[in-house]
Amino acid sequence: MGALPVFRWRLAPDGYATRRQLRARGLRPGGQPVVAQLERPRRRRPPLVAYLYRVDLAKPVRPMTPARWAALAKANRARRICPQCRAEAVYVIPPSLGACVPCSFPDPSRAVRSA
Ligand SMILES: [Zn+2]
């Protein structure tokens, strides 16, 4: 990537906005490349950098359609299904555990003991 124009914090030219500023206006970068960056100097640390996009190239945030809500619900549900016991937990299965809590931490008092 070539060198981007760098502007000082709060001195961004009109027509440019950070991703967060676009979002506040219901916009998204929409695939455009970063066109400039803002730098905020900090003492004894590297400057804070924010990337700027062109407002005129930004696109409206895609509205949620029933199909997108359904896809989202399906994805969230899949993340609650324990891969070991196939039960649906009321929480998202933590990736660090990889299974629901009863599977990850079997209760020894309820364990079936074979004689
Ligand atoms: Zn389980």
Side-chain angles (χ1 to χ4, degrees), residues 71-83:
L72 189 68
K74 195 178 166 196
N76 282 338
R77 183 164 185 273
R79 294 168 62 209
R80 294 197 305 264
I81 305 278
C82 172

Side-chain angles (χ1 to χ4, degrees), residues 82 85 100 103:
C82 172
C85 65
C100 70
C103 285

Side-chain angles (χ1 to χ4, degrees), residues 80-89 91 93 98-104:
R80 294 197 305 264
I81 305 278
C82 172
Q84 285 185 33
C85 65
R86 308 305 300 171
E88 181 175 351
Y91 47 83
I93 304 294
C100 70
V101 169
C103 285
S104 301

